Amino acid sequence: MKSLNKLLAAVSRSFYLSMRFLPVEMRAGVSVAYLLARATDTVADSVDMPMNERLVLLKMMSEIIEGQMNRDDATVCFGRLGSLGGEQKHRGEGELLCRFPECIAQLEALPQDQQDLVREVLRVIVSGQTWDLEYFETESAVMYPEQLERYTYMVAGCVGEFWTRLGILTIGEKFSTKPEGQLLSWGRHYGMALQLVNILRDREEDLSRGRSYLPDGDIETWFQKAEAGLREGVYYADSLQLGRLRFSTLLPAQLGLDTLALLKQTPDEQGQKVKVARKQVYAQMWQAFLFAWKKAM
């Protein structure tokens, strides 16, 4: 796993900050799941590739993750990913596609019960990415709130559930003071809120590409839903018993709340994607550390 740590840092500034502080029992499973999801997301977002080709490649990647593809076909898929990786503008994402076989090897090195959880969450994530491609091939906007909620669950809410199940599997009774059902609910809503923050942040860019994820209505409603879900993430973190785990779980919620605050301050017409300043990231890391340390006392 050490050989992929730099790759993790290259493809996600904020996630890597959380991942490196995770308890060692969870670290490999979470890291592998993230890299695989980021790889499939990179393929889904490769706008220079025809949609049908992206769907075929996503299906092939999914079959490899599931362990259902023979070696010859997998070699073909790895070659196509390597070629696509060379075309990526984002250096880290290009390297990730080229090193997809290493990610699969890391998946197969996990204990079987952890492999099963990773495959389960990737199955849901890829279904969400596939829905996204197919839906916007014929539509320009999400029409109903239920569609948006289903989409945010498939690409992110399921990750909160995965985080919970993996934590309970690897850490057991030391994971949290709350019952599994409550944690699954908080984790699901937390993940959906993080994805909603991304949608709110990227809405002008998405509109320029001819797609809108926000159903017609008061945008303030979606800000409120995102904030409420992030608050559930704070409750989730507060229930955890290990300091490292509390830190890793709380930090994305803090950064998400900061991003929402910046979005409210930034007029849409500026057309610039907001980003939490590095100084503020460090400040939030310190606050998360204090939160984790005080709970441990």
Side-chain angles (χ1 to χ4, degrees), residues 78-226:
F78 294 152
R80 293 176 67 177
L81 289 173
S83 298
L84 183 61
E87 300 170 3
Q88 298 299 307
K89 295 179 181 178
H90 189 290
R91 192 175 194 179
E93 291 179 348
E95 183 181 355
L96 174 59
L97 293 184
C98 293
R99 297 178 67 183
F100 187 72
E102 293 179 55
C103 298
I104 295 298
Q106 291 292 339
L107 168 63
E108 294 173 347
L110 292 174
Q112 187 61 54
D113 48 8
Q114 293 190 42
Q115 289 186 46
D116 292 342
L117 289 179
V118 172
R119 291 188 171 106
E120 179 183 353
V121 73
L122 262 294
R123 201 175 302 131
V124 180
I125 289 171
V126 173
S127 70
Q129 294 165 343
T130 299
W131 176 87
D132 181 59
L133 286 174
E134 292 176 337
Y135 183 83
F136 284 106
E137 180 69 7
T138 57
E139 305 290 341
S140 61
V142 172
M143 302 300 295
Y144 306 106
E146 294 79 8
Q147 289 176 304
L148 179 58
E149 291 184 2
R150 179 172 176 268
Y151 171 69
T152 57
Y153 169 75
M154 288 191 293
V155 297
C158 64
V159 177
E161 295 177 338
F162 163 76
W163 184 281
T164 300
R165 292 188 174 109
L166 182 67
I168 293 173
L169 173 67
T170 57
I171 299 174
E173 293 181 356
K174 294 182 180 180
F175 181 69
S176 174
T177 59
K178 296 295 182 180
E180 183 175 353
Q182 178 65 79
L183 294 169
L184 288 170
S185 176
W186 279 342
R188 178 168 58 252
H189 295 156
Y190 183 18
M192 292 168 69
L194 289 171
Q195 183 63 26
L196 190 52
V197 170
N198 291 338
I199 288 170
L200 289 164
R201 183 196 61 194
D202 298 342
R203 64 188 187 278
E204 294 300 318
E205 179 182 331
D206 289 331
L207 286 171
S208 71
R209 294 168 56 195
R211 56 174 60 191
S212 172
Y213 288 92
L214 299 175
D216 290 339
D218 184 6
I219 195 171
E220 181 60 28
T221 299
W222 299 106
F223 274 97
Q224 292 172 0
K225 284 181 176 292

Side-chain angles (χ1 to χ4, degrees), residues 64 68 154 156 261:
I64 292 174
Q68 297 176 348
M154 288 191 293

Side-chain angles (χ1 to χ4, degrees), residues 17 26 52 56 85 110 126 128 135 227 230:
L17 293 174
M26 291 181 65
N52 286 339
V56 169
L110 292 174
V126 173
Y135 183 83
E227 183 172 351
L230 294 176

